Amino acid sequence: MVATSKTCRRCGKIKSLTDYYVHPQMGDGRLNICKECKRSDTREYIATHKEQVRKYEKSRACLPHRIKARKHYATTKAGKEALARARAKYALRYPGKRQAHIKVGNAIRDGRLTKAPCEVCGSTIKVHGHHDDYSRPLDVVWLCPTHHKERHGIL
């Protein structure tokens, strides 16, 4: 006879097998902790090991198959909709920054502002206008993507 339920080792409740993650090394093919308890354990671990988890996730994000998957997702309808939602959320969250970005874009378009090479390395490829003060929107420092991230402490 095949069991359709089991008892969670953590909470002690009897639950359906669908309430447990598949785990091929377990006798019945399911983990002995229910999904709800496992999620709780995971949240607790992440909360207590933030730096380690952040470092691990950052290393995973750089894996070639993940980069490829993100690029592919960006070309799909769902990816484009997600990007539009993110941009709208950013504009609502940081209206001053968004206005500064718009003013720089308009000034470049109108010829009042000209992109210059990166002030650190001299690169002219995909140069960004960096604002040290968003209240002065046309006062920008031109930086390549690498040095721009460096300025923000991302690298």
Side-chain angles (χ1 to χ4, degrees):
M1 191 163 114
V2 178
T4 57
S5 63
K6 68 188 280 184
T7 304
C8 174
R9 186 178 62 141
R10 181 82 70 237
C11 66
K13 295 179 184 174
I14 298 172
K15 297 184 178 186
S16 167
L17 286 180
T18 59
D19 290 327
Y20 296 83
Y21 288 113
V22 174
H23 196 290
Q25 293 175 336
M26 301 302 289
D28 62 357
R30 299 286 178 155
L31 195 61
N32 55 7
I33 299 172
C34 70
K35 289 179 179 180
E36 187 178 329
C37 290
K38 186 64 182 164
R39 287 185 196 123
S40 176
D41 289 351
T42 302
R43 279 191 295 273
E44 184 180 318
Y45 179 85
I46 290 170
T48 58
H49 297 86
K50 274 188 177 168
E51 279 307 310
Q52 292 160 295
V53 171
R54 188 175 287 132
K55 185 178 179 182
Y56 173 69
E57 290 298 336
K58 192 172 183 179
S59 72
R60 290 177 66 214
C62 297
L63 295 173
H65 72 282
R66 287 178 166 264
I67 293 169
K68 184 179 177 183
R70 280 194 306 273
K71 286 182 180 179
H72 172 71
Y73 178 69
T75 64
T76 65
K77 182 180 179 187
K80 290 175 183 177
E81 288 171 353
L83 179 61
R85 284 192 308 274
R87 285 182 173 158
K89 186 177 175 182
Y90 180 89
L92 288 173
R93 191 170 183 186
Y94 304 106
K97 288 183 180 183
R98 183 67 185 122
Q99 284 302 312
H101 297 157
I102 290 169
K103 288 179 182 179
V104 167
N106 289 345
I108 291 169
R109 181 198 63 209
D110 298 341
R112 292 180 283 127
L113 193 60
T114 306
K115 285 188 178 186
C118 174
E119 292 191 6
V120 178
C121 68
S123 173
T124 56
I125 300 168
K126 294 187 178 179
V127 181
H128 301 168
H130 170 76
H131 291 92
D132 286 320
D133 180 2
Y134 288 104
S135 67
R136 297 169 42 210
L138 299 182
D139 185 14
V140 294
V141 176
W142 298 102
L143 300 167
C144 67
T146 302
H147 290 115
H148 198 183
K149 288 177 187 173
E150 214 171 70
R151 179 73 66 99
H152 285 280
I154 297 171
L155 288 180

